[in-house]
Amino acid sequence: EAMLKILSVASGPLEHDWLCRAVRAELSGSVLPGEETLEAIEVAFAQNEELRLVRRSEDTRHRTQWGLAHDVVREVLLETESEREQARLAGRIADAVGEERRDKHDLRFEYELRASRVAKAIKAAVRAARTAEARFAYHRSAKLWRWLLDNEDKLNDPSVHPRAELARVEHLAGQHAEAAELYRSWAEETEDRMRRAKIRADEAAAWLQAGQSDAAVEALEGAYRAFGQTYVGKWHATVSETPRRLVATLVRWNEKLAAAVKPGKADKNEVALGRLYDFSLEYSAWLLSGRADEIESRLARLASSAGDTSILASHRMRLALLHAGEGVASKRDRAFRWMDEADRIARGLDDPA
């Protein structure tokens, strides 16, 4: 009877070992000793199968599993069980599934939720969401993170951020507009200035992939404000109308950079700003292409003042790209040299020595 009741609340076939553990727990208060309980469970398997109440099958890994043989059996059993009793039995299955099987976190979440054990369901949901992402099941992962976001007030782990995870996974799932909206709401709730700038930049990237460049520009403007700067601001016509003049300026600054390079990294705010410049330049064709020259000059000034190797490498690569487009052989050669230098600097950054 205990076996049939447990199977009546199961959403699918249960592995033999799980069902044995669940039934044994259900019979823990019986008068049968431990060994006799196991023997009784095995006898029950045979009897119920002979009566055609349960059906034996195998999963893809040839593990024996059990389920009710007919839906009518389930219906009859459920009619005699209250919702509270069904929740208790679902908890038995959740305990039997356990936490050791990484591929079953999703199943554990289902039964914990049906058992109304919210704290344990949250723990299982986090694990299930991460497992789903690792398997490229982004939509399933997003669904779990959304449930966690809806129950964020019950989450006691400060290291888990459902909104951030949901935004990231929605982006991976191709739901770029939804991801951008999530990034925006997350940024509005974030007090740390540098973190907010990073989130707004991620929002801009999501808007770009959603094909909404105006919204991307607005998000990027918010990222720049964290550094006391603007992305659109006033147009610098003296620079933007003369690309060659900008190149000459960058070359002049470039000659002073090598001596200014610091052995360590720049201030974290300077590094973050350098990354923001990189993002603006990389996607300038989809943002405001006329701002590229001004952002190039800002990157050069930052590389000169910060003297940081990572910023310097970025600047050298941007300078090489400017020269590569000039169409003059000598300038292309110079561009290739700067590309090589940027590569050497980058390799030096990755060198643990």
Side-chain angles (χ1 to χ4, degrees):
E1 184 182 356
M3 180 183 299
L4 295 175
K5 282 187 174 182
I6 290 169
L7 286 174
S8 73
V9 300
S11 58
L14 295 179
E15 290 185 14
H16 182 87
D17 290 346
W18 294 348
L19 186 53
C20 284
R21 284 201 290 266
V23 173
R24 190 175 185 183
E26 189 70 4
L27 298 177
S28 58
S30 70
V31 296
L32 294 173
E35 290 299 323
E36 291 186 22
T37 300
L38 290 175
E39 292 176 5
I41 292 172
E42 294 299 334
V43 170
F45 275 122
Q47 290 177 342
N48 286 327
E49 186 176 22
E50 185 177 351
L51 293 171
R52 297 185 180 179
L53 295 174
V54 298
R55 179 187 294 119
R56 182 202 307 256
S57 60
E58 289 186 349
D59 63 12
T60 55
R61 297 186 179 181
H62 305 292
R63 288 185 291 242
T64 299
Q65 54 187 17
W66 297 88
L68 292 177
H70 306 285
D71 288 338
V72 67
V73 178
R74 185 189 310 276
E75 292 170 5
V76 171
L77 289 167
L78 290 178
E79 285 178 359
T80 64
E81 299 167 3
S82 65
E83 290 186 3
R84 184 174 180 179
E85 176 70 2
Q86 291 175 25
R88 188 184 66 80
L89 292 170
R92 292 289 194 202
I93 298 176
D95 292 338
V97 172
E99 299 180 0
E100 68 276 4
R101 290 270 297 279
R102 186 179 179 186
D103 60 331
K104 298 301 180 182
H105 291 320
D106 212 334
L107 192 64
R108 175 73 185 265
F109 164 68
E110 175 195 339
Y111 286 113
E112 294 290 12
L113 190 59
R114 288 174 56 189
S116 299
R117 303 194 305 203
V118 179
K120 290 185 176 182
I122 286 175
K123 186 177 179 181
V126 171
R127 293 180 174 179
R130 289 172 175 165
T131 300
E133 181 184 349
R135 294 181 172 182
F136 306 106
Y138 299 130
H139 292 286
R140 176 56 184 166
S141 181
K143 185 176 181 180
L144 289 163
W145 283 119
R146 190 167 291 282
W147 181 87
L148 285 162
L149 180 60
D150 292 340
N151 292 272
E152 192 172 16
D153 58 324
K154 304 178 185 70
L155 185 63
N156 296 320
D157 188 348
S159 66
V160 178
H161 305 284
R163 191 182 303 276
E165 297 289 354
L166 177 58
R168 186 178 56 78
V169 175
E170 288 282 31
H171 202 171
L172 290 171
Q175 303 299 316
H176 305 304
E178 289 83 349
E181 292 289 359
L182 286 163
Y183 280 128
R184 175 180 292 175
S185 62
W186 181 25
E188 290 172 353
E189 298 174 1
T190 302
E191 296 181 0
D192 184 82
R193 183 168 55 91
M194 292 300 102
R195 191 178 184 188
R196 188 167 62 252
K198 173 65 170 61
I199 297 170
R200 293 308 301 269
D202 289 338
E203 179 195 339
W207 281 127
L208 282 176
Q209 291 187 276
Q212 300 189 37
S213 58
D214 289 344
V217 169
E218 180 186 345
L220 201 56
E221 190 70 50
Y224 273 95
R225 278 199 297 271
F227 296 96
Q229 298 185 16
T230 61
Y231 175 61
V232 179
K234 295 180 179 179
W235 292 93
H236 293 257
T238 56
V239 175
S240 60
E241 70 186 11
T242 315
R244 290 185 181 180
R245 181 175 168 185
L246 173 62
V247 171
T249 302
L250 294 178
V251 171
R252 186 173 66 254
W253 283 336
N254 181 68
E255 293 170 353
K256 301 176 182 179
L257 286 175
V261 175
K262 299 175 184 177
K265 290 186 176 180
D267 177 83
K268 65 177 182 179
N269 293 348
E270 292 175 325
V271 173
L273 182 56
R275 289 174 180 167
L276 185 57
Y277 288 155
D278 267 341
F279 175 85
S280 303
L281 292 169
E282 183 174 355
Y283 293 99
S284 62
W286 293 274
L287 293 164
L288 295 176
S289 57
R291 299 300 291 152
D293 294 343
E294 164 63 13
I295 302 301
E296 290 277 9
S297 66
R298 290 190 200 180
L299 177 59
R301 288 195 296 270
L302 180 65
S304 179
S305 61
D308 179 71
T309 48
S310 61
I311 300 174
L312 175 61
S314 175
H315 166 260
R316 292 293 172 89
M317 182 57 72
R318 295 297 170 186
L319 190 58
L321 293 175
L322 278 172
H323 273 72
E326 285 290 298
V328 180
S330 61
K331 291 189 176 182
R332 283 201 301 270
D333 291 341
R334 184 184 297 178
F336 289 138
R337 287 199 299 273
W338 272 326
M339 287 182 183
D340 289 340
E341 185 174 352
D343 182 61
R344 286 196 300 274
I345 294 171
R347 289 175 184 274
L349 289 174
D350 295 334
D351 187 354

